[in-house]
Every structure is written in C-alpha cells, then in structure tokens.
Amino acid sequence: MSDDGSIIVKEESAAHIVRRASFLAIADALAKGCAFVTAIVAARVFGEAGFGALNFAQALAAFALVVGGSWLEIYAVKTATQSPEQLGAIANTVVRLRLALGAAAFVAVGSIAYLAPSFHAVLPLVLLYALSVFTGALSLQWVTQALRKTHLIRLAVLTAQATYLLLVLILVQLTDKTWTVPLALVAGELIAAIGLWRWARRSVEQLSEPLSYHDSLAFLRRASPIGVAQLLRQVALGSDLVVVGMLLTLADAGAYGAAYKIYLFGISAISLYMIVSFPKIVRTAGAQPTRLGRQLMLSIAIVLILGSPALIGGTMFAGDILARVFGSGFAAGGESLRILLATLVLYAVTTHFRNALFAFEKQHIDALLVGISAVVHVLAKIGLAGWLGIEGVAFGALAGEATLLILTIWVYRRVVRTARDTTVPTPIEIQ
C-alpha cells in the first residue's frame, strides 16, 4: 500500500507469472486429484447409468451457475485491477448481486427440470447441484486474483475438493443413493467459501460497504455482456452431456461423461494459467496494445508445451485410460476423448484471444462471437449424435471451437489495428 492507503500493484515478468502458475499447478493437481478420485468412486459405485445421471444433472445445473452471476467475477477482477481502491466496495456488491441472481436462477432451473418430462429422473440431483449458486456467491476467490494472492484460490479449491472426496467416501458407505454426491460437493464448497470470507474481511478494507444502488446497477449493466457470453459459452461447452442425455442413453452419458471429465480437467488447467496472466493482459492492452500479440503468442506457446505430454499420452491410450480408471464399461468413450483432446488445443488458443478482447472492452463483440459458436456447437452435436453417437457429439464440440477460434482471431486483429491509430479505452470508473 502507498502512503494514501491505495493498493500498489507491481508489474510482473513472464517468468514470475510462470512461477506463480507452477505453484498453483501443484495445489491444483492435488485438488483435481481429489475431484478425479471422487469421480472414479462415483463411477464404480453407481455404474455407467448412475454416473451418467450425475453428469447429466450437473450439466443442467451448470446453467444456473452462469445465470447466477459467476461472470460478474471476471468484470470485478478487471475493474479492481484498474481501480484497486474500490476493491472492498466491489467485493460486497458482487456478493449481493450474485445472491439475488442465484436465487432467481435456482428457481428457474428447478422449474425447467420439473416441467420437462425428460428431466424428471434427475430432478433431485439438479436441485442439489444448483445449490452451488449460493456457495459460489459467498466465495471470494476472485478477490485473491485481483490482489495477486492466487495461491489462496487453489488452497480454497483444494479444501473444497478434499472435503468433497471425504464426504463421498463416508456417505457411500451409509447409502447407495446418488444424491450423496451433489450434497457432498455443496458442503465442500460452503466450507471453502467460509474460509475465504473470513480471510477477505481481514484483508480488504470496507468490505461491508457496497456500491450505491445506482453504481451497482451500472456495474451490472457493464458486466452483462460478459454474462451473456458466459451463458452462451455454457450452452456451447455444457451441451455435450445434455445432448447425450436427451438423445442417447444414460449409459452413453456415463461413457461420454468419463471422457468429458478429463476434458474438463484440461480446461481447468488452462483457466488456472489464465487466472495468473489475465491482469497482465489488461495492463498491456491499456498501455502498449501493439505488444499484446507477442505476449499472447508467448503465453500460448507455454501452455501448449506444458500440456503436450498429457495430450500425446491421452491421445495414444484414450480407451485404456478410461477402462483402467473408471471401469471396463467406460472404454467406449475412448474415441470421444481423442476428439475432445484435439478440441482442447483450440480452446487454449481461443481463450487467450478472448481475454484480449475483454481487455480492450470488446465483451459485447465477444458475446456475439460466442453466440455464433454456441449455435454451431448445438446444431453440430444434435446433427452428428444420431449419425455417429457420442463420437458425433465430440466432433460437434470440435466444430464449434474451430468456429469461435477463427472468428475471435479475425476480430482481435481488427481491434489491434484500430488501437494503433486511436486512443486506447481508459480504465473503467464507476460513477
């Protein structure tokens, strides 16, 4: 902090970012290990159909998490990075907005699951998974990102996942009901959220003073394009299991869900790196936009090099990995896993350029591009599912990500070209 109480943020080198990301990767690996073991336990205890029901319900409930305001955190990090003196007020505002949006989302998703006949079998699971909108609202992980205390993010996630695993191991000994899995997940998230809340109240000044009603609405309005993009992105990425669950069988959803778990593991690893690098992207876009392209290329190269051993190994032994880890019945998802790993490469590149568009205040354009991609995702998955089964759904995901990558790079190049000759947008100020 400076003498006037404002928060001073020093510039980071690429090497420092890599070191921080490596530290986070260790904690993240432990957390993902807990989550992966939990998935294995669920798959082996409940079989392909039960595991498919869990994945299907979680995919439906994930839409509630997006509608419930998880996207506000992206805009909050950006705003707090540019105006660190407002961090305390923004933190409390985000919590209140997310609780209000989360309650509406919970009711909406529950109503849809109740009214749609094909969702009746998983309604209790959907409602339990959807409780995460409230634990997510109370979690202040994004504050640790804004303050560069990113090690706390992984510690919080590790706490949540370790508790989740422990509770599942206990509960499956007491009952054979699938509802034990989402219940354990929500309990683990709640414990981690309480810990972060206690830390934030000690570390962030004036956490109890939110923005005014007028400023809160302004914050919500400016962040809403990101929310639209996130919802459309969830439609794109989360539609896999929904399509499989609706058009194929729960056993197919189980086999595809096993492959999808590994795919999500890769997405999470990429997101982990972007948590560390996003603030630097924001500052470079504001100060030296012409240098951003070189920074993005370096970052993309680092991600692909670090991930190449896992990608190559997963591609070569996809079926064997699923059979050994989840059980022989899940080997049917092997080809889907190979396709999803190829999709993961496209996702890594696209995520970098989308973050650059956020930094340039082009979230409304990003929302449009994501919307186009989501349409391609859903139509391709539905069209190919009947022809190729679960492999067709994976090919649909590949087509959707390729579409978004091409569109995002095209728009990014136009934005940077314009930024060379015009004034870069000034940091956002809440008035």
Side-chain angles (χ1 to χ4, degrees), residues 306-337:
L306 292 176
S308 58
L311 288 172
I312 295 172
T315 301
M316 292 178 62
F317 307 107
D320 292 337
I321 291 173
L322 294 178
R324 289 180 178 276
V325 172
F326 294 96
S328 58
F330 292 89
E335 289 302 318
S336 297
L337 177 57

Side-chain angles (χ1 to χ4, degrees), residues 278-348:
F278 180 56
K280 185 174 182 180
I281 290 175
V282 172
R283 288 187 291 275
T284 304
Q288 297 174 306
T290 56
R291 294 186 58 187
L292 185 57
R294 185 183 306 172
Q295 179 180 322
L296 291 176
M297 291 299 101
L298 175 61
S299 184
I300 290 170
I302 290 172
V303 170
L304 294 182
I305 291 172
L306 292 176
S308 58
L311 288 172
I312 295 172
T315 301
M316 292 178 62
F317 307 107
D320 292 337
I321 291 173
L322 294 178
R324 289 180 178 276
V325 172
F326 294 96
S328 58
F330 292 89
E335 289 302 318
S336 297
L337 177 57
R338 291 188 176 92
I339 300 167
L340 289 175
L341 290 176
T343 305
L344 196 61
V345 176
L346 303 184
Y347 177 91

Side-chain angles (χ1 to χ4, degrees), residues 21-107:
S22 299
F23 174 80
L24 294 180
I26 296 174
D28 184 70
L30 293 174
K32 292 300 183 296
C34 290
F36 207 66
V37 172
T38 306
I40 295 171
V41 171
R44 292 184 176 274
V45 170
F46 303 115
E48 295 99 307
F51 190 64
L54 288 168
N55 282 281
F56 184 31
Q58 192 169 21
L60 293 174
F63 290 97
L65 299 181
V66 178
V67 176
S70 59
W71 42 274
L72 285 169
E73 298 182 356
I74 299 175
Y75 193 75
V77 170
K78 183 179 187 301
T79 305
T81 298
Q82 295 173 330
S83 304
E85 71 281 356
Q86 294 183 312
L87 179 57
I90 292 171
N92 197 284
T93 300
V94 169
V95 170
R96 296 189 180 202
L97 289 174
R98 287 199 62 181
L99 285 173
L101 292 172
F106 181 84
V107 173

